[in-house]
Amino acid sequence: MATELPKTDVVIVGAGWTGLAAAKELADAGQRCVVIERGDWRHDATNFGAPEEHDELKYARRKEHMIDTPTKTLSFRNNSDQTALPMRRLGSFLPGKGLGGAGIHWNGQLWRPLPSDLQMRSHYAERYGESILDGMNVQDWGVTYDELEPHLDFFDRVCGTAGVAGNLNGETQEGGNPFEGPRSADYPNPPMKASPPLQMFRDTAAQMGYNPFHMPSANVTKAYENAYGAQLHPCTYCGFCERFGCGYFAKADPIICIYDVVKDHENFELRMNSQVLRVEKSADGKTATGVTYIDENGQEVFQPADTVCLNAYALWNVHLMLVSGLGTPYDPETGEGTVGRNYAYQTIAAASVFFDENVWSNPFMGAGALGMTIDDFNGDNFDHTDLGFVGGGYISANQTNGRPINYQPTPPDTPSWGAEWKQAVRESYLHHVGIVCHGSSVAVPENYLDLDPTYKDAYGQPLLRMTFDFPENDRKMSAYVLSKAEEIARNMDNVRAVGTVNRAAEGESYSVVPYQTTHNTGGAVIGTDPATSVVNRYGQMWDHHNVFVFGACLFPQNLGYNPTGPLMGLAYWTLDHMKNDYLQNPRPLMDA
Amino acid sequence: MPNFSRRAVLMQLGASGLAALTPGASLAQNRYADLDTQPWSFLDGNEARFLASMADVLIPEDDFPSASQAGVVDFIDLQLAGPYGKGAGLFLEGPFRDGAPEQGWQVDHTPATLIRTGIARLESGDTRLVDLDASEREDFVTRLSEGEDFDLGDVPATTLFDEIWSLVKEGYFSDPIYGGNKDYAGWRMVGFPGAHAYYADLVDKNAPFPAPPRGIAHVPGSSRSASTSRALTGSDADTQQEEG
Ligand SMILES: Cc1cc2nc3c(=O)[nH]c(=O)nc-3n(C[C@H](O)[C@H](O)[C@H](O)COP(=O)(O)OP(=O)(O)OC[C@H]3O[C@@H](n4cnc5c(N)ncnc54)[C@H](O)[C@@H]3O)c2cc1C
Ligand code: SF4
């Protein structure tokens, strides 16, 4: 039998971005918080220092900072006719493990949703007629941009985001993203520098009538004290950013931005190397009573709590709900049930630009969020009449990952090994940039998460099973946005060749092998209708009012942006309603 | 554990064709001769010769060293002996079934047993890759990469090819502390400056980076990494890399 510990006010599963933010806000509000994290303790100051951290083999290839696949993974298939098989090796996405979660090895590309993204169904229905969404489970989020704005702004000040505002209180600003929703305040820090290819992309895109701007970056550009009083330092453009921790205190991460300011709080307790197995429910099933976990000594322990927060990353939140019997699992046959419904991903394509020897891209000088971007083909920023798809993506020349094991660009038609390959790598490495199309992903009835009938993890629990392929809508979207990126690439000067790759190309299926993004979304979505959402618009479970859910599992469908800005906006929105309403009077915050 | 000397293997490799094939091979052999007292950590002599021959088709010598000249076989040996080879990064619970390519690795093998089994089956006849002439070797590697007409039992030819090619690239381009990228061969070839990375004043300039590469364990004032020889002491394999 599990040992039962004294009750706490709040138990938080996972010590990544959302878990540590929840702990900080709720501890400050007088709640005793216990954070349970399955991975190791670590810190930027002691664990991520250069030059040792600058080890591509160890971190980028062997993925030292990431989830331990032998212990915990999921199974995968493209469609229900296949048998799902375990994802035996990390590839397409790289979830985190340990203090800070995936927030320590992220890039720091820090976006906000477009106002219309959050009302996707009603927005498209109004502009184009509802039939444009036929066959899709596209939904409104149930929360608007104006409601999230103060929380998006707060997270910008937690991270010290660098950028150029495009819309300040409704006034369009020179040099920013003219499509973005109104900001109540400017970015806390000036934008990143622009490397030569980024300058060229900016000039060419502007000549073509587009609106280039610096990608919003949580790689900090100046010494900065964040909203919690933590100190960040300027980025060195070291180029060991995504997949690595930042020993320079320059990449905003949950450890230096939040953990350091809550770790000594009397209401904060962190338990590392502890795997939560399930959320326990009361006899009537209406509330959660706490969580059962395996502690660092391998003992099963029950931690009772008044409130349970799920902050285990999008996929593992859904897994915990399914193994704990929280909510009703989605049934693709009937379309009923909500847990696991609306799983979506990110649709990635890219143009690969090969310069002549006059352009030195020096790809090893880079940063996770060093990019020059246009948003002209994202969301509904362009007219979708007769295009045959909804959604879009940003197009961005990025200089983030020029490390030589993973980055060996070669022009189209180069053999993939041998003498010619070697020569091409040598000629291309210092004179190349990638232009990514970072596309949205609609939810469709066929893509979902449930439990695998065969395979079990090291704790004896069924693996999460992912059934996913790129919907037809997104294949069309990706081809369209890629054609725009290719056009920009071909219009740039000093270009000797342009290649393309499209992960969602017609005729190809989604694969878990090549890295794409760690932007898994949906499965426990937010909304205003319990028939189509797991949580109400405050992030509170419809079926168990003392369970609050955080992370990208809340997204009804995925945006053309990276998820952490939007999901942290939602996190602070939820925490605001917990602190100022729910905790004084625990109850369902919306009528079902 | 087999205990073949590196020198013996590479002498044979030179004798059986590499020297004739590539003018720089005798030089390389001298370089490897430094290490002739070191035992292999995982490979046996035949496996090492196979991997050296295949690696040098994948990355042949030109103005820059071939894969084996850059220490790639030493790198692979240490990787296969360590956590990576033992499957530290793999979920290996059964049942095992053939999957679609989109489902990735589905063989009931660790990288070490995959490569050992694969090479044993490829070399089970009379011919050795090392004995073929240059164009025959290239033809063999092409066929392996395409998975054509090889029956290797439970080892799919393309999985074997992909695993070896991945290790070869890692050995050519990873920090020299892991035994490959000898004298920064791979980094010099592409122009990658290494682990000591501070570019705030340079990132917006259209100019080549002026300094030669420096690795994690760079010896100040030299053009070498300190740890190459330490990494090659074989018995360090388990502590070289704790992850998988
Ligand atoms: C390489 C990479 C690059 C990225 N780049 C960007 C980017 O540029 N921009 C962007 O917006 N996003 C980016 N992301 C995504 C970003 O990292 C995530 O959106 C963010 O970290 C999510 O925060 P979270 O709190 O939901 O989960 P996480 O930060 O992953 O934290 C979850 C924590 O929960 C723990 N946990 C899980 N299950 C259990 C359990 N059962 N018991 C106990 N603990 C558990 C995990 O170990 C983990 O530490 C990137 C991700 C990766 C991997
Ligand atoms: S690029 Fe900048 S933010 Fe990223 S790890 Fe290096 S110093 Fe840190």
Side-chain angles (χ1 to χ4, degrees), chain A residues 20-258:
Chain A
L20 290 170
K24 168 69 179 148
E25 294 295 319
L26 297 175
D28 283 349
Q31 298 285 309
R32 279 173 297 126
C33 296
V34 172
V35 180
I36 303 181
E37 164 60 50
R38 63 189 299 273
D40 293 330
W41 188 90
R42 54 191 177 177
H43 199 284
D44 305 43
T46 47
N47 296 69
F48 307 148
E52 288 77 9
E53 181 73 7
H54 294 173
D55 183 339
E56 187 184 8
L57 186 74
K58 185 170 183 176
Y59 298 107
R61 301 286 291 188
R62 304 289 181 257
K63 309 185 175 102
E64 172 96 333
H65 292 318
M66 297 152 202
I67 194 169
D68 45 335
T69 331
T71 315
K72 191 172 163 100
T73 185
L74 45 70
S75 68
F76 163 72
R77 58 183 179 174
N78 282 125
N79 59 62
S80 311
D81 295 333
Q82 287 180 323
T83 303
L85 296 175
M87 183 177 79
R88 297 187 179 279
R89 188 179 250 180
L90 281 176
S92 166
F93 43 89
L94 304 171
K97 180 193 179 190
L99 187 61
I104 70 110
H105 64 262
W106 74 321
N107 293 62
Q109 305 177 354
L110 187 44
W111 291 93
R112 293 178 173 205
L114 296 167
S116 59
D117 283 339
L118 302 183
Q119 290 156 296
M120 189 163 174
R121 177 160 286 272
S122 43
H123 173 88
Y124 274 91
E126 191 182 324
R127 185 167 174 190
Y128 305 100
E130 190 114 30
S131 65
I132 196 170
L133 299 171
D134 281 354
M136 302 176 210
N137 284 349
V138 165
Q139 296 173 197
D140 289 1
W141 292 44
V143 47
T144 64
Y145 178 84
D146 289 343
E147 288 172 319
L148 287 189
E149 203 287 331
H151 308 291
L152 296 164
D153 179 65
F154 183 73
F155 190 56
D156 274 337
R157 287 180 289 117
V158 170
C159 290
T161 318
V164 180
N167 181 339
L168 261 185
N169 296 308
E171 302 277 323
T172 303
Q173 308 289 309
E174 188 72 22
N177 178 6
F179 300 101
E180 70 179 0
R183 290 175 180 272
S184 56
D186 203 347
Y187 281 98
N189 278 305
M192 304 284 280
K193 297 187 177 189
S195 63
L198 272 51
Q199 298 165 21
M200 294 169 69
F201 176 88
R202 178 184 58 206
D203 296 347
T204 306
Q207 277 158 20
M208 293 171 72
Y210 302 138
N211 296 279
F213 57 95
H214 287 267
M215 174 176 295
S217 165
N219 314 140
V220 175
T221 48
K222 276 188 154 170
Y224 180 71
E225 189 183 305
N226 86 353
Y228 293 129
Q231 190 64 46
L232 285 91
H233 295 279
C235 171
T236 70
Y237 299 84
C238 76
F240 291 90
C241 203
E242 69 283 347
R243 304 189 180 200
F244 300 80
C246 176
Y248 302 103
F249 282 55
K251 176 166 67 174
D253 75 34
I255 300 178
I256 57 171
C257 293
I258 306 180

Side-chain angles (χ1 to χ4, degrees), chain A residues 422 426, chain B residues 60-66 69 172 185-186 188-190:
Chain A
K422 191 181 182 195
R426 194 172 141 187
Chain B
E61 189 190 22
D62 51 17
D63 306 343
F64 289 89
S66 75
Q69 289 164 351
Y172 204 73
R188 280 189 292 108
M189 177 180 104
V190 292

Side-chain angles (χ1 to χ4, degrees), chain A residues 13-19 36-39 42 66 72 93-103 105-111 242-243 254 274-277 311-314 316-317 320 368 515 518-519 550-552 562-568:
Chain A
V13 185
W17 265 127
T18 62
I36 303 181
E37 164 60 50
R38 63 189 299 273
R42 54 191 177 177
M66 297 152 202
K72 191 172 163 100
F93 43 89
L94 304 171
K97 180 193 179 190
L99 187 61
H105 64 262
W106 74 321
N107 293 62
Q109 305 177 354
L110 187 44
W111 291 93
E242 69 283 347
R243 304 189 180 200
S274 298
Q275 165 79 27
V276 174
L277 295 177
N311 306 71
Y313 185 69
W316 316 129
N317 283 343
L320 276 172
Y515 185 72
T518 312
H519 305 167
F550 296 80
N562 312 53
T564 308
L567 72 87
M568 288 304 287

